[in-house]
Every structure is written in C-alpha cells, then in structure tokens.
Amino acid sequence: MSLFERVEIVAVIVQKFGGTSVANAGKIRQAAQRAVDAKRKGYDVVVVVSARGHKTDELVDLAAEITKTPRPREMDMLLSTGEQESVALMAMAVHELGEEAISLTGAQIGVLTDTTHTKARIVSISTQRMRELLSAGNIVIAAGFQGVDSNMNITTLGRGGSDTTATALAAVMNAELCEIYTDVEGVFTTDPRLVSSARKVERISYDEMLELASLGAGVMHSRSIEFAKKYRVHLRVRPSYSDGPGTLIAPEADGVTSIVSGVAFVRNEALISLVGLPDQPGVMSGLFTALSSAKIPVDMVVQNVAREGYANVSFTVAEDELPAAMKVVQVTAQSLGAQEVTTQTGLSKVSIVGHGMQSHTGVAARMFQVLAKHSINIKVVTTSEIKISVLIDRERCSDAVLAVHEGFELHQASAALPQVGYVATSRRNGASDASQAAVADDIVSRLEGMESILVSDVSADMNQSRVTLSNLPDESGIAEDIFTAIAEGGVLVDMIVQNVARDNRATISFTVPFGDLDRSLLLLREALERYEGSAVTSDRHIGMLTIAGIGLRSHTDVGRRVFRTLGDNGINVQMINTSEIKLSIVISASECDRALQLLRAEFGLT
Ligand code: ASP
Ligand code: MG
C-alpha cells in the first residue's frame, strides 16, 4: 500500500451473545443474522460468543463427578471448550447466510493473560489478526471468556467473563459500540423477578453500573464495566429475542438524573470481623496484603473509630468464599495481635445507587426510614458518593428490596429524566495519514496492561468533621432516627460507617461539612435522649482521603498499596469505608497533606 493511499476506516461494532442467546441451532442462526445485518450496514463486525446454554455449568458438574479438587489448569482446559463449540457453530451459521466468517479461540486472537487459572486477568490483546481478517471481509467470531498465558496454557477469565472479552475487544478495536445481547430487556431498577414493578432504564453511567454490577444486579460482569469506563466504550445491553433498544451504559449524562437509579442486593454474604486490633499504623497493611495475595475479593470494608486504643475491622466476602478467607484471616489476625475473629453468615447486602444522592440531602434518612418501617435491623453501613449499602439478615432481603424500591418510587420514570438514545452510525470516511498514525498510537497505548489497576484520583478533604454515636441499642429504627434528625436540619451527610454491633451495642460514625458540625450535634441531641447510655463524640478536624478509580473491590491490590503506603509511613488509619469505585479513609488532619503526597506518588499521579 502506498503511503499516500487513502485508507477507509470502517467503524467496528462488537456484538456479544450470551449463553441463552446461542443455546440451540435456531438461536445461533438468529444471532448470526444480527451479525450479518450489521456487516451489511457497513460495519466491521466482531462477534464474541459464550458457551451454549448451561454448557459451562454442565462441565463444572462433570468435573465434580470425577474429583472434588480439580486442578485449575485442567478446569480452564475443560471450560474453554464450551466457547470453542459456540464459535465454530456461529461461523458456520454466518457462512450459511452468505457472508465470510472465521472463528478464533482466545489464544488465536492473542488474548494474553496472567497465569491465575480460572480468574485470569487480561494483560494484552493483539489486534493484528482480527484487523487482517476484517479487512479481508470476514466477520470475526471470537471465543469469549478465554485467553492464554505466556506459557501457552489456556486460561479463563472467571464466570461470566465473556462480557469482559467483548468489552476488551471493543476497547482495543476502537469499536463504536459494544452490544451485549442477552435474555433480558436491559438494565432494571432492580431484579424484576423479585419486584414486578421494576423498570428498565434508558441509560446509566459507568459508575452507577459498576456499583450495581458488583452489588449483585447480575446484568453484566463488573470487570467488563471497568474496561468500558477505562476506555470509554459505549455498551448497549439489549435483548436477543426482540428489537428492544435495551440500556445504554455510557459516561454520565448531563443534566438532571434521578436521585436513585437502582436497588441492588447480594443475598449470600458472610461477615468477618477482626476485633481488638491494636490501633496503630501498619495493621491494615498487614491484613490487606494477606487478602490480596490470596486474591480474595472483599467488600464492605468498614473500620469505625477506635476506642481505648483498639480498632475493629469488618468486611464481607461471598458466603462460599468464607472458608478460604478464614484460612488467611486466622493467621493474619494472630500476627497482627487481634483479640478475636468473629464471623456471621446468613446475611444480605442491599444497596441504593444513584448520582442524585451527591447533591440531595436526606437520601440516607429515607432509606433508613423505609427499613425501619418494616422493622429491618441494619448491621453494617457503608457509603460512597453514589451508593448506600446496608447489611441485614438474609430472611429480610426480599422485603427490604421491595420496600426500598417502592420507597424511592423507582417504578416511575422520573419526569425530569432525559431520554437519551445512542444511535450507532457507521462512519466510512477517508482518513489522513496523520489520523491513521494517531489511531495506531492510541491502540498501542490501549494494549499496555489492559487490566492494570487504575486509580484515577487521590484527593483529600479537610473540610469534614466526624461525628460518632456509640453505645446505641442494636435495633431497627436507630439509623432512621439519627439521619432523619440530621436531614431535617438540611445537612448533607457524606460518609456513613457502621460496623457490627458488639455486645448488642451499635456505633455509627459519619462525616458532615465542617461548618455544619455544631448544628448537627444540636440536631442529634434530642434523638439521642431516647437512647439511654448512648454517647456522642466528634472530631472537628479530620483528614478524609478518597482513592477513586475502578475495580477497588475486585482489585484487592489497591487496598494493599494504599494501606502499605500509609503504614510504612507511620500514618494511622482511623476509619475506612469502601465501595466498588472508591475507598475512603479518615486519618488525622495533621497528616492529611503528607498522606496525599505519598499516595499520589504511589499511584503515579502528579
Ligand atoms: N461460559 C462462561 C460462563 O458461563 C462465560 C460466560 O458465559 O460469559 O461463565
Ligand atoms: Mg454464561
């Protein structure tokens, strides 16, 4: 090709079909038809396919009949066959429709991963072979969920990992849109199987979706949303059985959004508490280093302010990960000098998510009111700017979700909510050499460390004060009382932390803007009179650090690096609160500037 030849850049579209959308020959044909339609509209089409129907589950069961402890390498070898079957059939179906198609395994594409079998992370993806096949007129049919490590061992990305493959391919191929075809209408305000009035949303931001996905909305693999956010991939989740437009997952829309976008829940949570940890620098670092090296995803990490020199830290893990987590925690707890480790099972987490709560007061109060009205006791609370999560008894999970969905009137679309649509249009314009080069550079830069942790910002807020209410009865309605009192005074509460009750007494801490502290204390006085023995303490000057980014939950390594940086530098952690998209830490105000510089340096932010 001559250097001056004008090359057409054709828009790439990625279409991903989940297991139910390729369950049988008829469905495979339908899926193939969609790919062919897109191709005939002028797109370069990359199709990503999951294993058919329940294939992956069947293979898992089959392995279990042979051994209780299959080696992870062989599991990957086995599970990857499900997708290999689908891609071949899909390619044949495209051929029957009169277009060219070529199926590729993860290894054939060049999806390079690390060596963590059964939950591998993508290191890089080569685009060359796909580009060549596309320009030769093929539809590329890529096997989802799989890759290959540097020793040519087949790896898989964790259950549901085809979404991640699709989004990652869309990122490296600079795709205009990544369509995720599935057996639902789109993203709902909550699980429609549980709440019949759940409503499909038109558009949702990456952050909202991340909070929802990791919290159990179950629509998409959360790592795929991380990719989408990191590389600004527009995702559209849509039904494979109709022409429904589905839900666009894209950057946050301008203008008014609803206060709460959705209610998510995770039914089977277990809580681990380390009680009586020495309140000194380095303790959290020890704990997170251990959890991170064991690759145990932890959630809802909470540490409330220490009392009498001892801190209590709690976090949740998926109930079935409890034995594995406890192995690590027992050893670590001992070496850190914890007095006791306790666990609780039979818990569920219910969360509300929405950008609106950043600017509206009383959202927490409303959630707590609704729960109190149904006599649901809150055991643990964590928050982020756009999320409030509570841990409750599992028996009350469904009640809580129903009540909260109704309490925020999520069955109705907010009148002010703009109906934003994303229309995929094929771009077919000639491009200059310069823009070609820019495109190539961009792609190369996207290949580097696809899944390396991205901490997008570390910031410090010195304008918050802490309020701690201790010795409260461990009953439903307490949080309601407190936050209703605060909300009535128009105070915008930021971080709320409630760790598990000890001896039936609960402690709740939260932060308020510095200038609102005195008013908040006044507002609380009356509420607290009702609770005998309760006490309030406050700290006018705290340093609140926020580590924002993506994947803070699934990448336990972020926690490890944050706490190691603070611990190695003798900075004591007073309070912790986590969500999928941020980690908030309270330290003493006098150390805030130094901590900020250290963390920014650690994550390469200048
Ligand atoms: N087949 C794999 C699974 O079921 C990957 C996927 O469907 O995304 O987990
Ligand atoms: Mg599947």
Side-chain angles (χ1 to χ4, degrees), residues 570-606:
I571 296 168
N572 192 29
V573 173
Q574 298 180 1
M575 269 168 75
I576 305 170
N577 181 36
T578 57
S579 86
E580 180 64 31
I581 56 171
K582 73 184 232 187
L583 170 60
S584 308
I585 297 174
V586 171
I587 59 172
S588 97
S590 61
E591 290 178 317
C592 201
D593 267 340
R594 192 162 64 97
L596 181 65
Q597 299 320 319
L598 289 164
L599 287 172
R600 294 189 73 88
E602 169 70 20
F603 291 105
L605 303 161
T606 40

PDB file of all heavy atoms in Angstrom, residues 570-606:
ATOM      1  N   GLY A 570       3.992   5.440  58.840  1.00  0.00           N
ATOM      2  CA  GLY A 570       3.548   5.719  60.203  1.00  0.00           C
ATOM      3  C   GLY A 570       2.248   6.498  60.311  1.00  0.00           C
ATOM      4  O   GLY A 570       2.004   7.170  61.313  1.00  0.00           O
ATOM      5  N   ILE A 571       1.410   6.407  59.277  1.00  0.00           N
ATOM      6  CA  ILE A 571       0.148   7.143  59.334  1.00  0.00           C
ATOM      7  C   ILE A 571      -0.967   6.189  59.767  1.00  0.00           C
ATOM      8  O   ILE A 571      -1.206   5.166  59.113  1.00  0.00           O
ATOM      9  CB  ILE A 571      -0.179   7.787  57.971  1.00  0.00           C
ATOM     10  CG1 ILE A 571       0.906   8.817  57.652  1.00  0.00           C
ATOM     11  CG2 ILE A 571      -1.570   8.424  57.992  1.00  0.00           C
ATOM     12  CD1 ILE A 571       0.874   9.326  56.226  1.00  0.00           C
ATOM     13  N   ASN A 572      -1.632   6.520  60.836  1.00  0.00           N
ATOM     14  CA  ASN A 572      -2.655   5.631  61.387  1.00  0.00           C
ATOM     15  C   ASN A 572      -4.001   5.840  60.689  1.00  0.00           C
ATOM     16  O   ASN A 572      -4.411   6.970  60.423  1.00  0.00           O
ATOM     17  CB  ASN A 572      -2.800   5.884  62.890  1.00  0.00           C
ATOM     18  CG  ASN A 572      -3.624   4.796  63.559  1.00  0.00           C
ATOM     19  OD1 ASN A 572      -3.636   3.657  63.093  1.00  0.00           O
ATOM     20  ND2 ASN A 572      -4.312   5.146  64.625  1.00  0.00           N
ATOM     21  N   VAL A 573      -4.654   4.726  60.398  1.00  0.00           N
ATOM     22  CA  VAL A 573      -5.961   4.774  59.755  1.00  0.00           C
ATOM     23  C   VAL A 573      -7.035   4.790  60.839  1.00  0.00           C
ATOM     24  O   VAL A 573      -7.065   3.916  61.695  1.00  0.00           O
ATOM     25  CB  VAL A 573      -6.146   3.537  58.855  1.00  0.00           C
ATOM     26  CG1 VAL A 573      -7.551   3.465  58.302  1.00  0.00           C
ATOM     27  CG2 VAL A 573      -5.117   3.533  57.735  1.00  0.00           C
ATOM     28  N   GLN A 574      -7.900   5.786  60.816  1.00  0.00           N
ATOM     29  CA  GLN A 574      -8.934   5.870  61.858  1.00  0.00           C
ATOM     30  C   GLN A 574     -10.264   5.257  61.440  1.00  0.00           C
ATOM     31  O   GLN A 574     -10.987   4.691  62.241  1.00  0.00           O
ATOM     32  CB  GLN A 574      -9.153   7.335  62.262  1.00  0.00           C
ATOM     33  CG  GLN A 574      -7.908   7.971  62.844  1.00  0.00           C
ATOM     34  CD  GLN A 574      -8.145   9.408  63.234  1.00  0.00           C
ATOM     35  OE1 GLN A 574      -9.248   9.930  63.083  1.00  0.00           O
ATOM     36  NE2 GLN A 574      -7.107  10.061  63.717  1.00  0.00           N
ATOM     37  N   MET A 575     -10.584   5.462  60.196  1.00  0.00           N
ATOM     38  CA  MET A 575     -11.867   4.936  59.711  1.00  0.00           C
ATOM     39  C   MET A 575     -11.693   4.529  58.251  1.00  0.00           C
ATOM     40  O   MET A 575     -10.928   5.133  57.523  1.00  0.00           O
ATOM     41  CB  MET A 575     -12.948   6.030  59.753  1.00  0.00           C
ATOM     42  CG  MET A 575     -13.744   6.094  61.022  1.00  0.00           C
ATOM     43  SD  MET A 575     -14.720   7.624  61.082  1.00  0.00           S
ATOM     44  CE  MET A 575     -16.029   7.294  59.938  1.00  0.00           C
ATOM     45  N   ILE A 576     -12.463   3.511  57.859  1.00  0.00           N
ATOM     46  CA  ILE A 576     -12.408   3.045  56.465  1.00  0.00           C
ATOM     47  C   ILE A 576     -13.820   2.783  55.980  1.00  0.00           C
ATOM     48  O   ILE A 576     -14.683   2.355  56.749  1.00  0.00           O
ATOM     49  CB  ILE A 576     -11.659   1.707  56.332  1.00  0.00           C
ATOM     50  CG1 ILE A 576     -10.274   1.786  56.933  1.00  0.00           C
ATOM     51  CG2 ILE A 576     -11.571   1.276  54.878  1.00  0.00           C
ATOM     52  CD1 ILE A 576      -9.625   0.429  57.040  1.00  0.00           C
ATOM     53  N   ASN A 577     -14.006   2.999  54.712  1.00  0.00           N
ATOM     54  CA  ASN A 577     -15.296   2.802  54.095  1.00  0.00           C
ATOM     55  C   ASN A 577     -15.026   2.529  52.620  1.00  0.00           C
ATOM     56  O   ASN A 577     -14.234   3.223  52.012  1.00  0.00           O
ATOM     57  CB  ASN A 577     -16.065   4.106  54.292  1.00  0.00           C
ATOM     58  CG  ASN A 577     -17.444   4.084  53.744  1.00  0.00           C
ATOM     59  OD1 ASN A 577     -18.133   3.094  53.792  1.00  0.00           O
ATOM     60  ND2 ASN A 577     -17.862   5.216  53.221  1.00  0.00           N
ATOM     61  N   THR A 578     -15.635   1.492  52.079  1.00  0.00           N
ATOM     62  CA  THR A 578     -15.313   1.183  50.680  1.00  0.00           C
ATOM     63  C   THR A 578     -16.554   1.036  49.817  1.00  0.00           C
ATOM     64  O   THR A 578     -17.643   0.754  50.309  1.00  0.00           O
ATOM     65  CB  THR A 578     -14.585  -0.174  50.567  1.00  0.00           C
ATOM     66  OG1 THR A 578     -15.412  -1.175  51.153  1.00  0.00           O
ATOM     67  CG2 THR A 578     -13.246  -0.143  51.229  1.00  0.00           C
ATOM     68  N   SER A 579     -16.344   1.213  48.546  1.00  0.00           N
ATOM     69  CA  SER A 579     -17.346   0.811  47.566  1.00  0.00           C
ATOM     70  C   SER A 579     -16.566   0.375  46.347  1.00  0.00           C
ATOM     71  O   SER A 579     -15.342   0.406  46.352  1.00  0.00           O
ATOM     72  CB  SER A 579     -18.282   1.964  47.225  1.00  0.00           C
ATOM     73  OG  SER A 579     -17.732   2.749  46.202  1.00  0.00           O
ATOM     74  N   GLU A 580     -17.261  -0.039  45.311  1.00  0.00           N
ATOM     75  CA  GLU A 580     -16.568  -0.524  44.123  1.00  0.00           C
ATOM     76  C   GLU A 580     -15.706   0.569  43.501  1.00  0.00           C
ATOM     77  O   GLU A 580     -14.656   0.306  42.950  1.00  0.00           O
ATOM     78  CB  GLU A 580     -17.580  -1.025  43.096  1.00  0.00           C
ATOM     79  CG  GLU A 580     -16.981  -1.549  41.807  1.00  0.00           C
ATOM     80  CD  GLU A 580     -16.117  -2.785  41.987  1.00  0.00           C
ATOM     81  OE1 GLU A 580     -16.384  -3.594  42.898  1.00  0.00           O
ATOM     82  OE2 GLU A 580     -15.156  -2.936  41.227  1.00  0.00           O
ATOM     83  N   ILE A 581     -16.147   1.794  43.580  1.00  0.00           N
ATOM     84  CA  ILE A 581     -15.430   2.844  42.848  1.00  0.00           C
ATOM     85  C   ILE A 581     -14.638   3.785  43.728  1.00  0.00           C
ATOM     86  O   ILE A 581     -13.978   4.672  43.238  1.00  0.00           O
ATOM     87  CB  ILE A 581     -16.404   3.659  41.969  1.00  0.00           C
ATOM     88  CG1 ILE A 581     -17.518   4.240  42.818  1.00  0.00           C
ATOM     89  CG2 ILE A 581     -16.966   2.795  40.852  1.00  0.00           C
ATOM     90  CD1 ILE A 581     -18.395   5.225  42.065  1.00  0.00           C
ATOM     91  N   LYS A 582     -14.727   3.606  45.029  1.00  0.00           N
ATOM     92  CA  LYS A 582     -13.830   4.408  45.840  1.00  0.00           C
ATOM     93  C   LYS A 582     -13.568   3.822  47.210  1.00  0.00           C
ATOM     94  O   LYS A 582     -14.308   2.971  47.701  1.00  0.00           O
ATOM     95  CB  LYS A 582     -14.297   5.864  45.932  1.00  0.00           C
ATOM     96  CG  LYS A 582     -15.496   6.108  46.792  1.00  0.00           C
ATOM     97  CD  LYS A 582     -15.896   7.586  46.715  1.00  0.00           C
ATOM     98  CE  LYS A 582     -16.042   8.199  48.080  1.00  0.00           C
ATOM     99  NZ  LYS A 582     -16.573   9.565  48.052  1.00  0.00           N
ATOM    100  N   LEU A 583     -12.479   4.290  47.777  1.00  0.00           N
ATOM    101  CA  LEU A 583     -12.050   3.855  49.089  1.00  0.00           C
ATOM    102  C   LEU A 583     -11.857   5.138  49.881  1.00  0.00           C
ATOM    103  O   LEU A 583     -11.126   6.021  49.450  1.00  0.00           O
ATOM    104  CB  LEU A 583     -10.730   3.097  48.905  1.00  0.00           C
ATOM    105  CG  LEU A 583      -9.883   2.696  50.079  1.00  0.00           C
ATOM    106  CD1 LEU A 583     -10.642   1.776  51.005  1.00  0.00           C
ATOM    107  CD2 LEU A 583      -8.632   1.956  49.565  1.00  0.00           C
ATOM    108  N   SER A 584     -12.560   5.269  50.992  1.00  0.00           N
ATOM    109  CA  SER A 584     -12.420   6.486  51.800  1.00  0.00           C
ATOM    110  C   SER A 584     -11.770   6.131  53.116  1.00  0.00           C
ATOM    111  O   SER A 584     -12.101   5.118  53.728  1.00  0.00           O
ATOM    112  CB  SER A 584     -13.783   7.111  52.088  1.00  0.00           C
ATOM    113  OG  SER A 584     -14.490   7.288  50.905  1.00  0.00           O
ATOM    114  N   ILE A 585     -10.854   6.975  53.522  1.00  0.00           N
ATOM    115  CA  ILE A 585     -10.097   6.708  54.733  1.00  0.00           C
ATOM    116  C   ILE A 585     -10.022   7.984  55.549  1.00  0.00           C
ATOM    117  O   ILE A 585      -9.717   9.053  55.015  1.00  0.00           O
ATOM    118  CB  ILE A 585      -8.665   6.261  54.374  1.00  0.00           C
ATOM    119  CG1 ILE A 585      -8.728   4.952  53.591  1.00  0.00           C
ATOM    120  CG2 ILE A 585      -7.810   6.102  55.620  1.00  0.00           C
ATOM    121  CD1 ILE A 585      -7.395   4.504  53.083  1.00  0.00           C
ATOM    122  N   VAL A 586     -10.315   7.881  56.826  1.00  0.00           N
ATOM    123  CA  VAL A 586     -10.162   9.034  57.701  1.00  0.00           C
ATOM    124  C   VAL A 586      -8.848   8.877  58.463  1.00  0.00           C
ATOM    125  O   VAL A 586      -8.571   7.819  59.025  1.00  0.00           O
ATOM    126  CB  VAL A 586     -11.354   9.153  58.677  1.00  0.00           C
ATOM    127  CG1 VAL A 586     -11.089  10.230  59.730  1.00  0.00           C
ATOM    128  CG2 VAL A 586     -12.635   9.464  57.904  1.00  0.00           C
ATOM    129  N   ILE A 587      -8.058   9.927  58.417  1.00  0.00           N
ATOM    130  CA  ILE A 587      -6.816   9.964  59.195  1.00  0.00           C
ATOM    131  C   ILE A 587      -6.792  11.287  59.952  1.00  0.00           C
ATOM    132  O   ILE A 587      -7.713  12.099  59.806  1.00  0.00           O
ATOM    133  CB  ILE A 587      -5.566   9.838  58.286  1.00  0.00           C
ATOM    134  CG1 ILE A 587      -5.543  10.978  57.263  1.00  0.00           C
ATOM    135  CG2 ILE A 587      -5.526   8.495  57.581  1.00  0.00           C
ATOM    136  CD1 ILE A 587      -4.254  11.041  56.455  1.00  0.00           C
ATOM    137  N   SER A 588      -5.758  11.516  60.717  1.00  0.00           N
ATOM    138  CA  SER A 588      -5.745  12.769  61.455  1.00  0.00           C
ATOM    139  C   SER A 588      -5.456  13.915  60.488  1.00  0.00           C
ATOM    140  O   SER A 588      -4.714  13.763  59.512  1.00  0.00           O
ATOM    141  CB  SER A 588      -4.727  12.707  62.590  1.00  0.00           C
ATOM    142  OG  SER A 588      -3.519  13.301  62.175  1.00  0.00           O
ATOM    143  N   ALA A 589      -6.073  15.061  60.752  1.00  0.00           N
ATOM    144  CA  ALA A 589      -5.973  16.198  59.843  1.00  0.00           C
ATOM    145  C   ALA A 589      -4.526  16.611  59.635  1.00  0.00           C
ATOM    146  O   ALA A 589      -4.125  16.978  58.528  1.00  0.00           O
ATOM    147  CB  ALA A 589      -6.793  17.368  60.383  1.00  0.00           C
ATOM    148  N   SER A 590      -3.716  16.486  60.680  1.00  0.00           N
ATOM    149  CA  SER A 590      -2.334  16.980  60.577  1.00  0.00           C
ATOM    150  C   SER A 590      -1.497  16.130  59.615  1.00  0.00           C
ATOM    151  O   SER A 590      -0.466  16.567  59.142  1.00  0.00           O
ATOM    152  CB  SER A 590      -1.689  17.004  61.967  1.00  0.00           C
ATOM    153  OG  SER A 590      -1.673  15.680  62.474  1.00  0.00           O
ATOM    154  N   GLU A 591      -1.952  14.909  59.338  1.00  0.00           N
ATOM    155  CA  GLU A 591      -1.162  14.056  58.441  1.00  0.00           C
ATOM    156  C   GLU A 591      -1.725  14.000  57.028  1.00  0.00           C
ATOM    157  O   GLU A 591      -1.207  13.293  56.169  1.00  0.00           O
ATOM    158  CB  GLU A 591      -1.097  12.631  59.019  1.00  0.00           C
ATOM    159  CG  GLU A 591      -0.248  12.587  60.267  1.00  0.00           C
ATOM    160  CD  GLU A 591      -0.208  11.193  60.881  1.00  0.00           C
ATOM    161  OE1 GLU A 591      -1.262  10.537  60.948  1.00  0.00           O
ATOM    162  OE2 GLU A 591       0.874  10.777  61.283  1.00  0.00           O
ATOM    163  N   CYS A 592      -2.771  14.746  56.808  1.00  0.00           N
ATOM    164  CA  CYS A 592      -3.516  14.622  55.558  1.00  0.00           C
ATOM    165  C   CYS A 592      -2.693  15.008  54.328  1.00  0.00           C
ATOM    166  O   CYS A 592      -2.668  14.274  53.345  1.00  0.00           O
ATOM    167  CB  CYS A 592      -4.786  15.456  55.659  1.00  0.00           C
ATOM    168  SG  CYS A 592      -6.032  14.942  54.515  1.00  0.00           S
ATOM    169  N   ASP A 593      -1.987  16.147  54.425  1.00  0.00           N
ATOM    170  CA  ASP A 593      -1.206  16.606  53.281  1.00  0.00           C
ATOM    171  C   ASP A 593      -0.123  15.612  52.905  1.00  0.00           C
ATOM    172  O   ASP A 593       0.053  15.280  51.730  1.00  0.00           O
ATOM    173  CB  ASP A 593      -0.536  17.954  53.602  1.00  0.00           C
ATOM    174  CG  ASP A 593      -1.416  19.103  53.148  1.00  0.00           C
ATOM    175  OD1 ASP A 593      -2.299  18.850  52.290  1.00  0.00           O
ATOM    176  OD2 ASP A 593      -1.227  20.225  53.655  1.00  0.00           O
ATOM    177  N   ARG A 594       0.559  15.125  53.925  1.00  0.00           N
ATOM    178  CA  ARG A 594       1.647  14.190  53.683  1.00  0.00           C
ATOM    179  C   ARG A 594       1.092  12.898  53.058  1.00  0.00           C
ATOM    180  O   ARG A 594       1.637  12.372  52.095  1.00  0.00           O
ATOM    181  CB  ARG A 594       2.353  13.876  55.006  1.00  0.00           C
ATOM    182  CG  ARG A 594       3.679  13.140  54.841  1.00  0.00           C
ATOM    183  CD  ARG A 594       4.534  13.247  56.097  1.00  0.00           C
ATOM    184  NE  ARG A 594       3.898  12.595  57.237  1.00  0.00           N
ATOM    185  CZ  ARG A 594       4.172  11.347  57.633  1.00  0.00           C
ATOM    186  NH1 ARG A 594       5.061  10.639  56.981  1.00  0.00           N
ATOM    187  NH2 ARG A 594       3.560  10.817  58.671  1.00  0.00           N
ATOM    188  N   ALA A 595      -0.018  12.419  53.613  1.00  0.00           N
ATOM    189  CA  ALA A 595      -0.622  11.193  53.090  1.00  0.00           C
ATOM    190  C   ALA A 595      -1.016  11.374  51.625  1.00  0.00           C
ATOM    191  O   ALA A 595      -0.814  10.488  50.790  1.00  0.00           O
ATOM    192  CB  ALA A 595      -1.838  10.816  53.922  1.00  0.00           C
ATOM    193  N   LEU A 596      -1.555  12.523  51.331  1.00  0.00           N
ATOM    194  CA  LEU A 596      -1.985  12.799  49.958  1.00  0.00           C
ATOM    195  C   LEU A 596      -0.790  12.725  49.000  1.00  0.00           C
ATOM    196  O   LEU A 596      -0.855  12.071  47.955  1.00  0.00           O
ATOM    197  CB  LEU A 596      -2.645  14.184  49.892  1.00  0.00           C
ATOM    198  CG  LEU A 596      -3.168  14.615  48.530  1.00  0.00           C
ATOM    199  CD1 LEU A 596      -4.303  13.713  48.088  1.00  0.00           C
ATOM    200  CD2 LEU A 596      -3.650  16.066  48.576  1.00  0.00           C
ATOM    201  N   GLN A 597       0.315  13.375  49.380  1.00  0.00           N
ATOM    202  CA  GLN A 597       1.503  13.357  48.510  1.00  0.00           C
ATOM    203  C   GLN A 597       2.015  11.929  48.326  1.00  0.00           C
ATOM    204  O   GLN A 597       2.344  11.517  47.222  1.00  0.00           O
ATOM    205  CB  GLN A 597       2.635  14.232  49.095  1.00  0.00           C
ATOM    206  CG  GLN A 597       2.289  15.707  49.267  1.00  0.00           C
ATOM    207  CD  GLN A 597       1.481  16.279  48.117  1.00  0.00           C
ATOM    208  OE1 GLN A 597       1.745  15.979  46.947  1.00  0.00           O
ATOM    209  NE2 GLN A 597       0.447  17.069  48.427  1.00  0.00           N
ATOM    210  N   LEU A 598       2.060  11.183  49.428  1.00  0.00           N
ATOM    211  CA  LEU A 598       2.576   9.819  49.363  1.00  0.00           C
ATOM    212  C   LEU A 598       1.718   8.936  48.460  1.00  0.00           C
ATOM    213  O   LEU A 598       2.230   8.166  47.643  1.00  0.00           O
ATOM    214  CB  LEU A 598       2.625   9.210  50.770  1.00  0.00           C
ATOM    215  CG  LEU A 598       3.699   9.768  51.711  1.00  0.00           C
ATOM    216  CD1 LEU A 598       3.403   9.380  53.159  1.00  0.00           C
ATOM    217  CD2 LEU A 598       5.079   9.265  51.282  1.00  0.00           C
ATOM    218  N   LEU A 599       0.414   9.064  48.597  1.00  0.00           N
ATOM    219  CA  LEU A 599      -0.471   8.218  47.795  1.00  0.00           C
ATOM    220  C   LEU A 599      -0.444   8.624  46.329  1.00  0.00           C
ATOM    221  O   LEU A 599      -0.497   7.784  45.437  1.00  0.00           O
ATOM    222  CB  LEU A 599      -1.900   8.256  48.339  1.00  0.00           C
ATOM    223  CG  LEU A 599      -2.099   7.496  49.652  1.00  0.00           C
ATOM    224  CD1 LEU A 599      -3.481   7.754  50.217  1.00  0.00           C
ATOM    225  CD2 LEU A 599      -1.888   6.000  49.444  1.00  0.00           C
ATOM    226  N   ARG A 600      -0.363   9.904  46.090  1.00  0.00           N
ATOM    227  CA  ARG A 600      -0.307  10.351  44.691  1.00  0.00           C
ATOM    228  C   ARG A 600       0.963   9.811  44.035  1.00  0.00           C
ATOM    229  O   ARG A 600       0.951   9.391  42.885  1.00  0.00           O
ATOM    230  CB  ARG A 600      -0.388  11.869  44.589  1.00  0.00           C
ATOM    231  CG  ARG A 600      -1.747  12.427  45.046  1.00  0.00           C
ATOM    232  CD  ARG A 600      -1.911  13.912  44.730  1.00  0.00           C
ATOM    233  NE  ARG A 600      -2.105  14.113  43.300  1.00  0.00           N
ATOM    234  CZ  ARG A 600      -3.280  14.093  42.695  1.00  0.00           C
ATOM    235  NH1 ARG A 600      -4.384  13.898  43.394  1.00  0.00           N
ATOM    236  NH2 ARG A 600      -3.382  14.254  41.397  1.00  0.00           N
ATOM    237  N   ALA A 601       2.029   9.814  44.795  1.00  0.00           N
ATOM    238  CA  ALA A 601       3.286   9.285  44.256  1.00  0.00           C
ATOM    239  C   ALA A 601       3.157   7.775  44.021  1.00  0.00           C
ATOM    240  O   ALA A 601       3.551   7.256  42.974  1.00  0.00           O
ATOM    241  CB  ALA A 601       4.433   9.585  45.205  1.00  0.00           C
ATOM    242  N   GLU A 602       2.564   7.077  44.974  1.00  0.00           N
ATOM    243  CA  GLU A 602       2.403   5.624  44.858  1.00  0.00           C
ATOM    244  C   GLU A 602       1.659   5.255  43.573  1.00  0.00           C
ATOM    245  O   GLU A 602       1.974   4.277  42.908  1.00  0.00           O
ATOM    246  CB  GLU A 602       1.662   5.087  46.091  1.00  0.00           C
ATOM    247  CG  GLU A 602       1.193   3.639  46.009  1.00  0.00           C
ATOM    248  CD  GLU A 602       2.330   2.624  46.057  1.00  0.00           C
ATOM    249  OE1 GLU A 602       3.422   2.976  46.528  1.00  0.00           O
ATOM    250  OE2 GLU A 602       2.106   1.472  45.593  1.00  0.00           O
ATOM    251  N   PHE A 603       0.628   6.024  43.239  1.00  0.00           N
ATOM    252  CA  PHE A 603      -0.176   5.682  42.065  1.00  0.00           C
ATOM    253  C   PHE A 603       0.199   6.488  40.818  1.00  0.00           C
ATOM    254  O   PHE A 603      -0.553   6.528  39.845  1.00  0.00           O
ATOM    255  CB  PHE A 603      -1.667   5.811  42.385  1.00  0.00           C
ATOM    256  CG  PHE A 603      -2.121   4.747  43.355  1.00  0.00           C
ATOM    257  CD1 PHE A 603      -2.362   5.066  44.685  1.00  0.00           C
ATOM    258  CD2 PHE A 603      -2.255   3.426  42.954  1.00  0.00           C
ATOM    259  CE1 PHE A 603      -2.756   4.087  45.592  1.00  0.00           C
ATOM    260  CE2 PHE A 603      -2.638   2.441  43.851  1.00  0.00           C
ATOM    261  CZ  PHE A 603      -2.885   2.771  45.176  1.00  0.00           C
ATOM    262  N   GLY A 604       1.348   7.139  40.905  1.00  0.00           N
ATOM    263  CA  GLY A 604       1.853   7.841  39.722  1.00  0.00           C
ATOM    264  C   GLY A 604       0.989   9.014  39.283  1.00  0.00           C
ATOM    265  O   GLY A 604       0.903   9.318  38.094  1.00  0.00           O
ATOM    266  N   LEU A 605       0.353   9.664  40.215  1.00  0.00           N
ATOM    267  CA  LEU A 605      -0.460  10.842  39.876  1.00  0.00           C
ATOM    268  C   LEU A 605       0.337  12.073  40.277  1.00  0.00           C
ATOM    269  O   LEU A 605       0.778  12.179  41.404  1.00  0.00           O
ATOM    270  CB  LEU A 605      -1.778  10.821  40.650  1.00  0.00           C
ATOM    271  CG  LEU A 605      -2.659   9.591  40.466  1.00  0.00           C
ATOM    272  CD1 LEU A 605      -3.651   9.472  41.597  1.00  0.00           C
ATOM    273  CD2 LEU A 605      -3.380   9.681  39.127  1.00  0.00           C
ATOM    274  N   THR A 606       0.526  12.954  39.349  1.00  0.00           N
ATOM    275  CA  THR A 606       1.316  14.138  39.714  1.00  0.00           C
ATOM    276  C   THR A 606       0.493  15.407  39.630  1.00  0.00           C
ATOM    277  O   THR A 606      -0.518  15.445  38.972  1.00  0.00           O
ATOM    278  CB  THR A 606       2.558  14.275  38.815  1.00  0.00           C
ATOM    279  OG1 THR A 606       2.163  13.927  37.496  1.00  0.00           O
ATOM    280  CG2 THR A 606       3.655  13.358  39.288  1.00  0.00           C
TER     281      THR A 606
END
